[in-house]
Amino acid sequence: MGLTLTEKILKAHVVDGEFKKGCEIGIRIDQTLTQDATGTMAYLEFEAMGVPRVKTERSVAYIDHNTLQSGFENADDHRFIGSAAKKHGIYFSRPGNGICHQVHLERFGAPGKTLIGSDSHTPTGGGIGMIAIGAGGLDVAVAMGGGAYYITYPKIVKVELKGKLSPWVSAKDVILEVLRRLSVKGGVGKVIEYCGEGVKTLSVPERATITNMGAELGATTSIFPSDETTREFLKAQKREDVYVPLSADPDAVYDETVEIDLCKLVPLAACPHSPDNVKTTAEIGAMKIDQVCIGSCTNSSLMDMMKVAHILKGKTVHPDVSLSIAPGSKQVLNMLAQNGALSVMIDAGARILESACGPCIGMGQSPNSGGISLRTFNRNFEGRSGTKDGQVYLVSPETAAISAVTGVLTDPRTIEGEFTFEMPEEFVINDNMIVPPAPESEMNGVEILRGPNIKPFPATAPLADTIECGCSLKVGDNITTDHIMPAGAKILPLRSNIPAISNFCFTVCDEKFPTRAKEMGQSMIVGGSNYGQGSSREHAALAPLYLGVKAVLVKSFARIHRANLINAGILPLTFVDESDYDNISLGDTLCLPDIRKAVAEGKTELTLINKTNGKEIRVLCELTGRTKDIILAGGLLDYTRESLK
Ligand code: MIC
Ligand code: SF4
């Protein structure tokens, strides 16, 4: 029986567990990446493990999220990460060099390799044929220390691409179509593997747009084959040496198949407030818009920017619209400057932003009250833009650019003529914003520079014999990590300070939650399905840990968040019977008797007693050997420390 591409790469990297569907496997990690909003914690955790130098083939620390620097906090974090990188053997991509995923694809990604990153859009690397997975900072720290990364052997979905995209229909429309069909929960426990004739009609940046936004499916990752197009891209980046051809065997067996005829796709938009709330631009109609933002790790490649410049050439941004453009990397920005496209954008009236995440994570450019914002980004969760009632639509760069000119949502197929982008034979390469680490012989002389905002990892404790506490919060379905631990210009600077950032935990849903949780001392959170979807931020687990949350009981979890809860020593529980959700109310006293014994014995079905109404609720506690030991120890840090003894 033949193998899928995913299986081939996983098989070459498996170091622990049974290589069988549904089993937990440990894989060797070749590369890691961090960004600054999750990086400070990841490096503090790495330090706490006591490993002097990273053991990966390549580890890179990027600064791209917190570049606003409205106070000392961001700049202090940058210095800390830069110095930790230098000491411990990590390459450091300075602020201004670009968004981690875009830069990694350009300068470091390599087909056939494994990459984990403390950012949920790490699967961007799948566009170049790598198994690239988003993870919590602690998992990345362990991988840097040479430890395996654990995933459940995934189901593999074949997305068979046929035909070729019509003019002005974009790679973004491909992934929006996949989201429309599969939903934000449709990828949980799965890897999405693209194949078929249509693959070769897509360039590497287009493939990366598709794998990037596979994160919104909840998928473990997404991957494209590595072929001639990949080789040419790598050659143009002067990295042809890392090229290897890779594809699935012709007789590979998949768990599911989805077919997409590229010729039939039309421009799409994800409507507020979910990436799977997809409609055609025709269905939405000529809606008046207030803002257009072009950029983010989904759509900020040179190709995307050249399309935008072509559409804006000789035009003026509509007087009622604010257009901002953030090219994805220094390389992209530099090439736009050299070929004149930047001048076209400036001429048209675009507001050019730094090569960074910027508005995507609410760092500036929040829309006006109730404002309609078209964005080429990947997430449109409520409030994420920084304006609570902002209405964000996710669209392709083509749709965004033409709409910025017309002032209303516009189908780009109304543009006359066609645009073909010739991939450059050579990109402009200047890695002077990537600082290499100090040689090992000099590492002892490197001083780690810490600012006053950097506070240690919160205290943990081994799992208690019995948990009895109040229900401090009850929430519904599809809670995102942006609900649990909001980002944005005010809160992001506190990422290195868990006590301070905890005061904002869940405040989007319930302003009183942090105070209530602190007053209760210990508590439990109850939620609906797909709890914790979205980002990889472990702060969405560390803040609840700091606030005394001992267990989270929900209908179902998103993958990375569940792992982050376990890493923080918080028990992840699910309802056996979802209707029991109604048997718990805010403030009820909940008890898990003899929980330590039950977990240690590997019991999966447990009884939770609601002492307030006397109901007995059956809950699942599905922990494997390793995750069980992590929970018993009080989290991954304690577990790792113990196993290093
Ligand atoms: C996001 O897009 O939500 C982020 C900000 O990049 C997060 C990481 C973070 O919260 O720091 C992600 O996607 O993992
Ligand atoms: Fe940055 Fe946005 Fe990409 Fe997250 S999704 S890495 S915030 S650009």
Side-chain angles (χ1 to χ4, degrees):
M1 199 173 73
L3 293 179
T4 63
L5 173 54
T6 308
E7 287 165 323
K8 285 187 188 180
I9 302 178
L10 289 180
K11 201 166 177 193
H13 286 84
V14 72
V15 287
D16 193 11
E18 213 183 325
F19 199 65
K20 228 172 81 188
K21 289 243 177 281
C23 294
E24 194 184 47
I25 50 168
I27 52 171
R28 179 170 43 81
I29 296 301
D30 302 320
Q31 299 190 345
T32 63
L33 73 79
T34 56
Q35 40 89 336
D36 50 314
T38 53
T40 342
M41 268 301 143
Y43 296 112
L44 288 173
E45 289 152 357
F46 181 75
E47 278 186 329
M49 282 169 6
V51 180
R53 293 283 278 195
V54 292
K55 297 194 174 141
T56 45
E57 290 173 13
R58 176 73 86 230
S59 285
V60 191
Y62 293 90
I63 306 290
D64 54 359
H65 282 61
N66 283 318
T67 56
L68 205 57
Q69 294 171 229
S70 51
F72 64 91
E73 293 89 346
N74 295 164
D76 280 3
D77 284 356
H78 301 173
R79 267 195 339 168
F80 166 70
I81 295 175
S83 57
K86 195 166 191 179
K87 191 175 187 88
H88 299 299
I90 300 149
Y91 284 74
F92 178 62
S93 174
R94 298 180 58 195
N97 195 45
I99 306 175
C100 55
H101 309 302
Q102 176 65 27
V103 178
H104 207 85
L105 194 76
E106 292 167 359
R107 307 304 305 139
F108 298 109
K113 298 283 182 190
T114 51
L115 161 72
I116 65 165
S118 59
D119 191 280
S120 65
H121 291 102
T122 303
T124 314
I128 212 166
M130 45 187 343
I131 287 287
I133 306 178
L138 202 38
D139 283 318
V140 175
V142 168
M144 287 192 289
Y149 177 60
Y150 287 82
I151 53 166
T152 308
Y153 187 114
K155 286 195 173 151
I156 302 167
V157 182
K158 173 184 189 176
V159 178
E160 170 111 37
L161 299 177
K162 295 198 161 147
K164 186 175 183 300
L165 289 171
S166 312
W168 304 114
V169 182
S170 190
K172 182 63 158 277
D173 299 311
V174 178
I175 186 62
L176 288 175
E177 173 64 11
V178 179
L179 272 153
R180 190 183 70 78
R181 293 204 208 171
L182 302 186
S183 92
V184 289
K185 310 187 247 193
V188 178
K190 301 172 187 172
V191 173
I192 317 289
E193 199 171 301
Y194 291 85
C195 15
E197 281 300 291
V199 165
K200 53 176 193 296
T201 69
L202 297 170
S203 64
V204 165
E206 289 175 297
R207 296 174 186 184
T209 293
I210 296 170
T211 58
N212 169 287
M213 224 178 146
E216 274 54 66
L217 296 163
T220 304
T221 190
S222 304
I223 188 166
F224 271 83
S226 166
D227 57 9
E228 264 314 288
T229 309
T230 322
R231 192 182 64 77
E232 272 159 29
F233 175 82
L234 287 168
K235 187 169 170 222
Q237 292 284 357
K238 293 216 175 75
R239 302 200 295 117
E240 200 184 353
D241 53 319
V242 302
Y243 171 71
V244 277
L246 288 169
S247 58
D249 290 330
D251 57 344
V253 180
Y254 290 87
D255 297 285
E256 281 170 48
T257 304
V258 175
E259 234 182 66
I260 294 186
D261 190 345
L262 297 175
C263 322
K264 291 204 178 127
L265 290 185
V266 297
L268 299 170
C271 304
H273 298 287
S274 181
D276 62 356
N277 188 10
V278 175
K279 294 199 176 118
T280 65
T281 50
E283 274 174 302
I284 304 167
M287 170 183 66
K288 193 164 166 18
I289 57 169
D290 301 289
Q291 186 192 46
V292 173
C293 299
I294 298 177
S296 92
C297 56
T298 315
N299 278 120
S300 60
S301 66
L302 180 67
M303 181 181 188
D304 286 332
M305 294 294 147
M306 292 309 290
K307 284 186 217 169
V308 169
H310 175 84
I311 296 169
L312 293 180
K313 195 169 175 102
K315 308 265 182 1
T316 297
V317 172
H318 190 278
D320 296 341
V321 175
S322 162
L323 167 66
S324 69
I325 303 179
S329 67
K330 175 190 171 211
Q331 180 181 80
V332 174
L333 182 55
N334 205 0
M335 290 180 80
L336 295 175
Q338 290 184 12
N339 71 18
L342 186 61
S343 162
V344 170
M345 294 171 173
I346 296 170
D347 237 10
R351 302 166 66 178
I352 307 299
L353 306 181
E354 178 180 26
S355 294
C357 300
C360 179
I361 193 55
M363 295 301 259
Q365 305 294 317
S366 300
N368 53 291
S369 296
I372 296 189
S373 178
L374 299 189
R375 300 180 162 210
T376 65
F377 307 168
N378 46 41
R379 288 187 176 142
N380 58 348
F381 303 143
E382 197 171 2
R384 182 174 160 107
S385 66
T387 301
K388 211 165 177 201
D389 58 0
Q391 306 290 312
V392 176
Y393 291 73
L394 307 174
V395 296
S396 69
E398 292 88 330
T399 302
I402 186 63
S403 305
V405 173
T406 59
V408 292
L409 178 68
T410 305
D411 185 332
R413 290 172 305 170
T414 52
I415 303 169
E416 273 174 30
E418 269 189 41
F419 171 72
T420 37
F421 174 71
E422 289 296 329
M423 193 59 74
E425 275 178 26
E426 255 182 43
F427 287 92
V428 171
I429 294 158
N430 181 352
D431 289 332
N432 63 355
M433 292 286 275
I434 301 176
V435 186
E440 200 161 349
S441 54
E442 290 167 24
M443 66 169 280
N444 289 340
V446 180
E447 189 197 345
I448 305 272
L449 306 166
R450 281 170 229 274
N453 186 44
I454 301 179
K455 297 279 184 281
F457 195 85
T460 50
L463 181 64
D465 292 336
T466 289
I467 296 179
E468 184 168 324
C469 58
C471 168
S472 55
L473 187 73
K474 187 173 176 190
V475 286
D477 290 342
N478 289 323
I479 286 295
T480 71
T481 51
D482 280 293
H483 291 109
I484 308 174
M485 201 56 265
K490 187 168 144 204
I491 306 177
L492 264 188
L494 303 173
R495 282 291 182 90
S496 315
N497 186 339
I498 302 296
I501 207 170
S502 299
N503 292 327
F504 297 92
C505 185
F506 266 119
T507 46
V508 183
C509 305
D510 180 346
E511 286 202 344
K512 301 214 174 79
F513 170 72
T515 333
R516 186 185 314 123
K518 276 189 205 159
E519 275 166 14
M520 284 180 164
Q522 295 195 352
S523 68
M524 247 185 243
I525 292 174
V526 174
S529 61
N530 202 24
Y531 178 90
Q533 68 161 326
S535 93
S536 68
R537 63 190 71 146
E538 58 188 339
H539 302 75
L542 298 182
L545 166 71
Y546 179 79
L547 294 172
V549 173
K550 295 291 161 197
V552 176
L553 169 60
V554 297
K555 293 181 184 168
S556 67
F557 284 103
R559 178 187 67 88
I560 307 179
H561 185 62
R562 180 177 185 275
N564 283 340
L565 286 174
I566 295 173
N567 289 350
I570 298 176
L571 258 186
L573 304 171
T574 50
F575 290 101
V576 173
D577 179 354
E578 289 190 1
S579 65
D580 274 331
Y581 172 83
D582 298 328
N583 287 328
I584 305 178
S585 305
L586 183 68
D588 285 358
T589 302
L590 308 173
C591 181
L592 287 162
D594 294 324
I595 181 72
R596 185 172 179 92
K597 187 161 169 270
V599 170
E601 285 171 359
K603 272 199 193 148
T604 49
E605 195 174 313
L606 317 169
T607 304
L608 175 133
I609 303 161
N610 185 338
K611 291 203 157 173
T612 306
N613 61 15
K615 294 256 172 20
E616 293 202 347
I617 295 167
R618 285 183 303 140
V619 299
L620 285 180
C621 174
E622 292 173 297
L623 299 170
T624 58
R626 195 188 68 100
T627 48
K628 185 179 86 181
D629 292 341
I630 294 175
I631 284 285
L632 289 171
L636 183 58
L637 207 51
D638 302 85
Y639 169 83
T640 310
R641 268 199 222 105
E642 269 172 35
S643 49
L644 286 176
K645 269 181 201 160

